[in-house]
Amino acid sequence: MEIFGVDIGGSGIKGAPVDLDRGELAQERHKVLTPHPATPASVADGVAEVVGHFDWKGPVGITFPGVVTGGITRTAANVDKGWIDTDARKLLSERIGQPVTILNDADAAGVAEMTFGAGRDRKGTVIMLTLGTGIGSAVFTDGQLVPNTELGHLELHGHDAEKRASTKAKEDEDLSWHHWAHRVQKYLVHVEMLFSPELFIIGGGVSRKAEKFLPLIENVRAEIVPAQLQNNAGIVGAAMAAAGK
């Protein structure tokens, strides 16, 4: 069974048909740059371009980098503030002419990892963190998602944690892997103090380079592993949501 998934990020909008039996992309994904400003209308155009690239007809799952409840986008930390309280499901469905399911981006990535990746068959508390333009989070207890947790906005040393420990922070400040890993470590210690997870899954594009920073992280009791689906997890999870999985 194939369903289309789209992952809206702070830097790119990417999507592809997904083989839901295997939890893998059925075709090579297509990506366009996220427009700036990332208004609802301009992002919808980007989504339409990605879906149109495959001439897809049928349900589409779409992730959004913020809180989503009932198809309404409630926050907009890394996109235009015009998204706040927008009926994104209606907007995007009308723009692409297909039925749409929309959910938080990290929640989508987490569901994919819990089903097909590093969290498969894991019980207890598992936290997926996606490190990118911001920090997304997905919290699971015995495999059940607690949606829209947004742990990237926890305060860390007087700042939103994602302003200090995201991949964007590393790039903007030209941090070494060692320096950045120390920041990520402080963040993980803070999250662990609050939730006591058995497992952290680290996702986002930087998960492809996990060997450069995960071995540098110390003083965290929980197991820490890279996402197995890497930066495709959001696309897979979006497709799963559209299929009602």
Side-chain angles (χ1 to χ4, degrees):
M1 179 183 183
E2 290 186 11
I3 295 287
F4 204 92
V6 178
D7 191 11
I8 298 173
S11 59
I13 301 169
K14 49 193 181 292
V18 175
D19 181 333
L20 290 179
D21 296 319
R22 296 183 299 149
E24 299 175 357
L25 304 192
Q27 299 182 48
E28 184 175 349
R29 71 187 189 185
H30 182 66
K31 179 178 179 179
V32 300
L33 295 178
T34 301
H36 292 285
T39 64
S42 62
V43 170
D45 287 344
V47 171
E49 182 177 343
V50 170
V51 175
H53 176 81
F54 296 88
D55 195 28
W56 177 263
K57 299 293 187 291
V60 178
I62 302 175
T63 77
F64 178 78
V67 172
V68 182
T69 57
I72 310 295
T73 47
R74 301 296 187 185
T75 65
N78 294 304
V79 289
D80 188 81
K81 301 306 180 190
W83 280 100
I84 296 173
D85 294 332
T86 288
D87 189 338
R89 180 168 53 199
K90 181 174 184 287
L91 169 73
L92 293 166
S93 180
E94 290 179 349
R95 181 64 183 83
I96 65 177
Q98 307 297 330
V100 161
T101 301
I102 186 163
L103 71 163
N104 174 268
D105 56 349
D107 286 350
V111 167
E113 281 293 326
M114 293 298 287
T115 305
F116 297 108
R120 189 172 185 173
D121 298 325
R122 293 295 293 255
K123 299 298 183 183
T125 301
V126 177
I127 298 181
M128 167 97 173
L129 296 169
T130 57
L131 306 181
T133 304
I135 297 177
S137 63
V139 177
F140 297 85
T141 57
D142 290 335
Q144 296 298 306
L145 173 68
V146 180
N148 292 310
T149 48
E150 293 289 282
L151 300 184
H153 299 297
L154 288 173
E155 185 177 316
L156 189 64
H157 301 301
H159 301 273
D160 258 19
E162 67 179 21
K163 302 299 184 187
R164 301 280 296 165
S166 65
T167 306
K168 185 176 188 295
K170 179 187 185 304
E171 295 169 350
D172 287 350
E173 299 180 47
D174 195 24
L175 302 175
S176 68
W177 285 107
H178 190 276
H179 190 167
W180 183 65
H182 186 62
R183 289 191 181 185
V184 174
Q185 173 182 304
K186 287 183 176 180
Y187 173 60
L188 293 179
V189 167
H190 188 53
V191 174
E192 184 173 60
M193 180 268 294
L194 294 171
F195 293 94
S196 301
E198 282 86 71
L199 176 67
F200 281 115
I201 303 172
I202 306 300
V206 76
S207 60
R208 292 192 301 268
K209 302 175 181 178
E211 75 284 353
K212 293 184 178 293
F213 68 96
L214 287 190
L216 301 174
I217 294 175
E218 301 174 336
N219 301 320
V220 176
R221 292 177 179 171
E223 183 182 358
I224 310 171
V225 299
Q228 291 180 7
L229 280 66
Q230 298 182 347
N231 214 19
N232 289 333
I235 297 174
V236 173
M240 290 175 66
K245 295 184 179 294

